[in-house]
Amino acid sequence: MIILGIESSCDETGVAIVKDGHEILSNQVSSQIDLHAPFGGVVPEIASRAHLRIIDPLTQAALQEARLTWQDIDGIAVTQGPGLIGALLVGAAYAKGLALALGKPLIPVDHVEAHVHGALLGVQQKSDSGPDPGQNPVRDIAATFPALSLVVSGGHTNLYYMASPTDFQLLGYSLDDACGECFDKVGKLLQLGYPAGPLIENLASQGDLERAQKTWPMPLMAPGSALEPIRFSYSGLKTFMAQTVHKHQKKTQVDPPSWGQDLWDLCAAFQEEALGQIVRKTKRALVLRPDAKSILIAGGVAANQRLRSMMAHQIDRPCHYPPLSACSDNGAMIATYAFYQYLEAQKNPSHNPAAYFDHRWESYSRYAFKD
């Protein structure tokens, strides 16, 4: 099944074409970083207008890259939410128009859950005939699930238990800032630029943890009861960094402060704690769900090499990540998740595949869950 996936939830427009949920035929992404950089974050109105300008030419480019026509497309997938509502509406309206004009099923998907499917690219259902001739070897999906999955990005820090590719059981989420959001806010405090994640990672690689400050906050360290949901928190770490920058500025009497080696060390210590919380909460989740065969880690922060190293050394399960090009928002993850949703609808009598031809649904901007 060949699915065209459309992503427009925030500041990247993504259009991809994926075959059978694992083979990327094209993956076009238009980033808006340069548009939002002067403001230190995403401006919703600017984002929506940028999506509107680029979404059609990007879709045409995806078809051209895949060397396909509209007749080759079996279904359209699009992000339904959460995200910036104006940006979401651009993608949803465009996808609905395509599906209606072509008479194709339209599969709306959850953006956060779709991120996990970026880590499933290259994974396929096992078949008697084996992989297609000439294809690279792929993981059998049966060896992946049940799994724990982490979505760690600028807008989301969520932890799920997954019995299958379409079964998401929320185990934990952030009470305040997301991990990537904390990186961006600390980068703004340090006047590093936007997005700050890769900049802090680069500076941290030159830092010396032994020379860094030794007293660091470790939010939500209490283990809690077995029934209590896992919680992440980054606001305390952000406040600690703000106080540290303020103290250093008073000490140096320079604005922006003159850092030198201290900046590298500070970034190294901050990154270690920000990512360390991810590792600690994953360990706790494995205690609660010891049957998990693997860990799927997705979102922009999944590209951080220090996180990958920490997970490899401290977690006793195989960890799988999206390709670096698919860690940020993209259409391939949308198309991949849609494939598994459509497959489930065809196999499960309680589902109704005909519902994918009913386009009377609304986009949503926020999470459905609450404390």
Side-chain angles (χ1 to χ4, degrees):
M1 184 177 189
I2 297 177
I3 295 180
L4 183 142
I6 297 171
E7 155 61 25
S8 68
S9 66
C10 192
D11 60 338
E12 273 123 1
T13 314
V15 181
I17 300 174
V18 178
K19 180 180 179 182
D20 295 335
H22 70 91
E23 184 184 350
I24 299 177
L25 303 182
S26 66
N27 190 19
Q28 296 284 327
V29 178
S30 176
S31 174
Q32 300 176 12
I33 286 177
D34 291 343
L35 295 176
H36 301 288
F39 306 98
V42 178
V43 181
E45 177 71 12
I46 292 175
S48 301
R49 291 178 180 274
H51 288 306
L52 195 58
R53 285 194 299 270
I54 196 65
I55 194 166
D56 185 61
L58 204 66
T59 302
Q60 298 299 331
L63 282 170
Q64 185 175 7
E65 181 187 5
R67 297 182 179 180
L68 298 175
T69 67
W70 286 117
Q71 286 67 39
D72 299 313
I73 303 299
D74 299 309
I76 309 293
V78 66
T79 301
Q80 184 178 9
L84 303 175
I85 192 62
L88 289 166
L89 289 173
V90 171
Y94 184 77
K96 287 181 180 183
L98 284 180
L100 283 168
L102 298 171
K104 305 291 185 179
L106 176 64
I107 309 162
V109 304
D110 183 282
H111 168 85
V112 184
E113 294 176 356
H115 261 299
V116 174
H117 283 259
L120 291 178
L121 290 167
V123 183
Q124 69 180 22
Q125 300 279 354
K126 187 176 181 180
S127 65
D128 294 336
S129 59
D132 295 335
Q135 295 293 319
N136 293 328
V138 295
R139 302 195 311 272
D140 175 16
I141 203 162
T144 304
F145 294 95
L148 293 179
S149 62
L150 284 155
V151 179
V152 192
S153 68
H156 320 284
T157 305
N158 291 3
L159 175 60
Y160 300 93
Y161 174 79
M162 298 177 65
S164 74
T166 58
D167 180 14
F168 285 80
Q169 301 174 33
L170 185 68
L171 295 183
Y173 56 92
S174 178
L175 292 170
D176 36 63
D177 292 345
C179 181
E181 180 183 9
C182 186
F183 270 82
D184 284 336
K185 289 180 177 178
V186 168
K188 193 169 185 177
L189 285 170
L190 297 172
Q191 302 184 38
L192 297 179
Y194 173 85
L199 301 172
I200 290 177
E201 181 183 2
N202 181 55
L203 293 171
S205 67
Q206 305 170 65
D208 183 349
L209 281 172
E210 296 296 326
R211 292 187 68 250
Q213 294 181 356
K214 296 181 180 179
T215 305
W216 280 80
M218 301 182 75
L220 299 181
M221 283 297 294
S225 69
L227 298 177
E228 182 182 347
I230 295 171
R231 294 290 183 262
F232 299 89
S233 174
Y234 284 95
S235 62
L237 184 59
K238 176 190 65 180
T239 301
F240 179 83
M241 287 294 292
Q243 293 172 342
T244 300
V245 171
H246 179 67
K247 289 176 183 177
H248 190 82
Q249 186 173 331
K250 287 181 65 177
K251 179 180 176 181
T252 60
Q253 297 296 311
V254 178
D255 185 21
S258 176
W259 288 96
Q261 178 69 38
D262 289 341
L263 177 60
W264 302 342
D265 298 344
L266 186 64
C267 287
F270 162 75
Q271 177 178 256
E272 199 74 6
E273 174 48 37
L275 302 180
Q277 186 177 167
I278 302 295
V279 178
R280 292 195 300 271
K281 301 304 170 67
T282 302
K283 287 181 177 179
R284 185 186 164 200
L286 283 171
V287 173
L288 299 176
R289 298 290 190 275
D291 62 327
K293 295 179 182 178
S294 64
I295 314 292
L296 306 174
I297 308 165
V301 181
N304 185 290
Q305 295 304 303
R306 178 56 184 159
L307 175 62
R308 295 188 178 208
S309 174
M310 293 170 74
M311 295 293 288
H313 287 92
Q314 299 183 47
I315 302 296
D316 63 349
R317 299 289 196 285
C319 294
H320 305 300
Y321 303 84
L324 289 178
S325 61
C327 286
S328 58
D329 295 350
N330 63 88
M333 68 186 196
I334 303 301
T336 302
Y337 188 22
F339 168 78
Y340 285 104
Q341 282 189 324
Y342 198 76
L343 195 67
E344 182 67 20
Q346 290 180 315
K347 293 190 304 182
N348 193 331
S350 66
H351 291 232
N352 179 17
Y356 293 128
F357 290 89
D358 183 353
H359 305 153
R360 292 172 297 179
W361 50 261
E362 300 294 336
S363 299
Y364 55 90
S365 62
R366 299 184 181 277
Y367 287 112
F369 60 83
K370 295 180 181 179
D371 274 331

